[in-house]
Amino acid sequence: MPYRAPTSEFAFLLSHVAGLPEVSGTERFAHADEDTVAAILEEAGKLSEEALAPLQRIGDVQGSRLENGVVRTPDGFPEAFRAVAEGGWIGIAAPEEYGGMALPMAVTTAVNEMMSSACLSLQLNPLMTQGQIEALEAHASEEIKALYIPKLISGEWTGTMNLTEPQAGSDVGALRTRAEPKDDGTYAVTGQKIYISWGDHDMAENVCHLVLARLPDAVEGTKGISLFMVPKKLPDAEGKAGVANGLKVVSLEHKLGLHASPTAVMEYDGATGWLVGEPHKGMAAMFTMMNNARLGVGVQGIGVAEGAYQHALAYALDRRQGKAEGSGSIAEHADVRRMLTRMKADTQAARMIALANAVAIDMAAATGDAAWKARAAFLTPITKAFGTDVGIDVASEGIQVHGGMGFVEETGAAQYARDVRVTAIYEGTNGIQAMDLVGRKMLDGGEAAFALIEEMVEGAGRARARFPEEAAALRDAAEDLREATEFLVAQELRDRFAGAVPFLRAFARVLGGHFHLKAALADEGPAREHLARFYVQRLMPEYRGLLEQARAGAEGLYALSLDDLAA
Ligand SMILES: Cc1cc2nc3c(=O)[nH]c(=O)nc-3n(C[C@H](O)[C@H](O)[C@H](O)COP(=O)(O)OP(=O)(O)OC[C@H]3O[C@@H](n4cnc5c(N)ncnc54)[C@H](O)[C@@H]3O)c2cc1C
């Protein structure tokens, strides 16, 4: 079933729900007017449908392979990557001075979602590069920026992020890769990195690795980490990719999904690197890349949800079983209708949260306002975790809609579920996202959370005349969320962490209701109204049980000993 890019849906949500007009109203993003954005969405949609979607299955079946030390991508990948680069999509949010389009993150988010729906494996490559561009722009020297950013934007070179090591996954502070200063101002980087996405490939002439490593005088933990640019090929005097650097791909992982995206074990053996940012401040610099990527990974989940939904709907409309009214297809059965509507409503809720997250990032960048910054920071772990959980749930439901054919690879339903599974793991597991939300993101005493809750209460007020029951449910839910947040910020960190995952999901559930009602109010037609009612009446109430779990504290979790667990 071919993918159809929901471009007019994005245009509607950006204009009427997420707040793009406010972004376009700033000097920085004045060029992102409604017509320009609509044209951009159309172009990106076309590329996703025509160049990327046909590679989805080929990528899964062929996968990327390591041959004589060189990674070969599946048929058609280099050409499609070139089309992405030539369309300017890698540098969509990058500054114009380096050849980027300087468009808002809100537009980038919509474009990235369409590409993720069409072919997640391929889209991961430009996503990594986009994050690298942002990190370099914020932290690198002028020489490094001038040399690398234009080539990353043009797709001549691509970017990776190298944090993970065998003993340092979620605990990045445990990493051991070392960087020794050399006389010429560069560094010799030595160590092993694992799980490096797109660590090597044949789609571009150079691969630029941003590597976290320790200087000789580094203290233990995250405070002793520095960031280095370590290219696969060393730039020559003219800035072209020259001789090979001291690094190699040792092997590629065999994975559950995302087969076309090579996941590399990398070995650095005295490789030449350049310091990015200040010594020992590498984590802060890498966080620029990671925050961008966390929103981007949430959006990957949503993109897969959309693809899986379209697939399931097409199948359901075609398949006939039992007595069914109307079309005669299984889509007429109540339980199939429940599954399809849930898939659509959840995808939409996560999408609206992600777009609002991106708008907050844009407003923070355009105005420097602390409240926008705090909102962007607060929403990022929610988008990442909820977006990817929705991707996993919807893709799984998509298999169910297909019945036995969902378990058979040819339909493509299973691939969505396999590919999307990792999005809840990489870029910081969803558990780590939730701890970030109730820990670091509530160091303000919950101010950013309370500001959002207040907006939900106001939104409920606006919805009261047209949707009295749903508005009342949203107001009650927002008040429950307020109480739970007040409770949580008063707890010890250990108790907060114990309830972090359910709290994050409860927050997302209620926020989704707020956005669904906002969308329904902005539209005269009945479809959004029905979707909002379905969400608020049937999906949002999940928040109650979640908040109970969020308040339950840590003690009960440890009541069952490790021996009991093993018994
Ligand atoms: C396909 C793929 C691509 C990847 N791409 C990249 C990449 O490009 N660059 C890169 O650097 N890395 C990459 N990664 C690595 C990825 O970011 C890590 O796998 C992830 O951060 C989790 O680390 P881990 O696998 O060591 O799991 P662990 O850290 O061992 O976690 C195992 C479990 O314990 C939980 N846990 C761990 N610590 C805590 C804690 N303090 N509190 C509560 N729970 C905790 C986790 O949530 C998880 O459920 C990739 C991984 C995969 C699978």
Side-chain angles (χ1 to χ4, degrees):
M1 156 40 232
Y3 165 68
R4 273 186 306 110
T7 50
S8 53
E9 187 59 25
F10 279 120
F12 176 88
L13 296 179
L14 283 168
S15 292
H16 300 291
V17 179
L20 185 65
E22 210 173 337
V23 175
S24 319
T26 65
E27 205 185 322
R28 178 168 176 155
F29 295 117
H31 55 296
D33 57 86
E34 221 168 277
D35 289 346
T36 309
V37 170
I40 285 167
L41 292 174
E42 282 307 315
E43 274 306 303
K46 205 161 140 234
L47 179 86
S48 302
E49 289 171 357
E50 294 174 6
L52 301 191
L55 298 180
Q56 166 86 338
R57 182 136 170 80
I58 298 171
D60 188 46
V61 173
Q62 291 187 2
S64 283
R65 317 165 296 279
L66 183 62
E67 290 173 1
N68 303 321
V70 181
V71 176
R72 304 269 171 230
T73 54
D75 296 345
F77 269 60
E79 295 77 9
F81 175 73
R82 195 98 315 275
V84 172
E86 281 165 8
W89 303 114
I90 301 173
I92 179 170
E96 279 169 315
E97 57 175 308
Y98 298 112
M101 289 202 255
L103 282 164
M105 194 49 78
V107 180
T108 306
T109 293
V111 169
N112 283 353
E113 193 207 293
M114 290 189 271
M115 294 195 186
S116 306
S117 299
C119 185
L120 191 69
S121 281
L122 179 53
Q123 189 267 344
L124 181 57
N125 184 309
L127 183 67
M128 296 278 101
T129 304
Q130 285 172 354
Q132 182 168 117
I133 292 169
E134 202 178 320
L136 293 180
E137 197 198 328
H139 304 286
S141 66
E142 291 307 319
E143 290 83 353
I144 290 185
K145 283 190 211 176
L147 174 59
Y148 286 88
I149 298 181
K151 289 194 165 61
L152 292 168
I153 288 175
S154 69
E156 289 163 87
W157 297 1
T158 67
T160 71
M161 55 195 286
N162 286 234
L163 292 85
T164 311
E165 298 179 10
Q167 77 295 343
S170 302
D171 183 10
V172 181
L175 67 84
R176 293 190 197 127
T177 296
R178 309 215 64 85
E180 301 280 341
K182 298 201 283 190
D183 294 342
D184 62 359
T186 64
Y187 294 81
V189 176
T190 303
Q192 192 190 65
K193 294 285 178 182
I194 60 168
Y195 298 137
I196 305 309
S197 294
W198 287 100
D200 188 39
H201 56 86
D202 55 4
M203 307 196 304
E205 65 182 19
N206 207 358
V207 183
C208 308
H209 304 286
L210 269 184
V211 181
L212 286 180
R214 291 183 183 285
L215 290 166
D217 60 342
V219 295
E220 296 267 296
T222 48
K223 293 208 169 83
I225 294 175
S226 307
L227 184 63
F228 299 87
M229 168 56 81
V230 190
K232 170 182 167 185
K233 292 182 185 163
L234 294 167
D236 64 17
E238 287 160 24
K240 299 218 171 73
V243 297
N245 201 354
L247 61 97
K248 68 173 183 197
V249 174
V250 178
S251 61
L252 296 186
E253 302 296 352
H254 299 279
K255 313 193 292 289
L256 175 69
L258 219 62
H259 292 151
S261 164
T263 306
V265 175
M266 308 285 308
E267 194 176 289
Y268 294 87
D269 185 10
T272 301
W274 284 263
L275 184 67
V276 172
E278 290 177 43
H280 314 307
K281 299 269 169 69
M283 271 315 281
M286 195 56 122
F287 257 110
T288 308
M289 183 162 180
M290 271 158 47
N291 273 331
N292 174 313
R294 283 178 175 179
L295 167 63
V297 171
V299 170
Q300 287 192 322
I302 302 161
V304 173
E306 174 66 32
Y309 168 67
Q310 289 191 18
H311 232 77
L313 179 63
Y315 184 82
L317 291 172
D318 193 50
R319 174 77 175 156
R320 287 163 183 271
Q321 279 299 284
K323 277 210 184 91
E325 306 276 303
S327 67
S329 72
I330 57 167
E332 304 292 352
H333 297 310
D335 188 53
V336 177
R337 205 49 93 79
R338 176 191 63 77
M339 290 191 276
L340 291 170
T341 314
R342 182 191 171 109
M343 290 166 84
K344 189 175 177 71
D346 261 349
T347 305
Q348 192 77 322
R351 176 181 287 145
M352 292 187 282
I353 291 172
L355 291 174
N357 189 163
V359 162
I361 291 173
D362 292 329
M363 291 305 293
T367 65
D369 186 276
W372 279 116
K373 276 190 198 161
R375 171 154 306 182
F378 186 79
L379 283 178
T380 298
I382 295 181
T383 302
K384 198 284 182 180
F386 187 62
T388 58
D389 282 348
V390 162
I392 291 166
D393 291 350
V394 168
S396 174
E397 199 92 289
I399 293 178
Q400 197 69 17
V401 169
H402 280 76
M405 284 311 286
F407 202 66
V408 171
E409 288 289 356
E410 278 94 310
T411 58
Q415 187 189 342
Y416 287 118
R418 288 187 288 101
D419 283 357
V420 78
R421 189 61 187 86
V422 72
T423 61
I425 296 169
Y426 63 25
E427 239 14 271
T429 63
N430 285 2
I432 298 289
Q433 302 301 318
M435 288 162 66
D436 178 44
L437 184 77
V438 302
R440 255 172 4 116
K441 303 294 164 64
M442 285 196 185
L443 285 177
D444 60 359
E447 210 176 305
F450 294 129
L452 259 170
I453 290 168
E454 206 42 52
E455 258 183 55
M456 294 188 227
V457 172
E458 286 165 18
R462 279 191 296 276
R464 200 163 43 213
R466 202 168 140 198
F467 306 110
E469 278 176 35
E470 290 73 19
L474 174 61
R475 196 202 46 232
D476 291 350
E479 292 302 345
D480 290 346
L481 214 49
R482 194 198 310 271
E483 267 179 42
T485 308
E486 279 165 0
F487 173 85
L488 222 60
V489 292
Q491 304 307 302
E492 302 274 328
L493 219 45
R494 186 166 176 265
D495 289 319
R496 284 198 218 180
F497 285 163
V501 165
F503 178 78
L504 183 151
R505 190 167 171 95
F507 209 104
R509 268 276 165 252
V510 182
L511 195 54
H514 165 65
F515 285 131
H516 264 294
L517 283 182
K518 196 173 176 188
L521 278 180
D523 198 346
E524 302 280 296
R528 267 181 223 285
E529 186 175 323
H530 294 316
L531 194 66
R533 286 217 159 94
F534 175 90
Y535 183 92
V536 171
Q537 288 172 1
R538 297 174 193 238
L539 303 184
M540 198 176 79
E542 185 197 13
Y543 87 86
R544 289 199 198 99
L546 289 164
L547 286 186
E548 260 189 53
Q549 292 180 56
R551 286 162 168 271
E555 212 178 303
L557 291 180
Y558 291 90
L560 211 61
S561 70
L562 291 179
D563 286 341
D564 293 336
L565 284 174

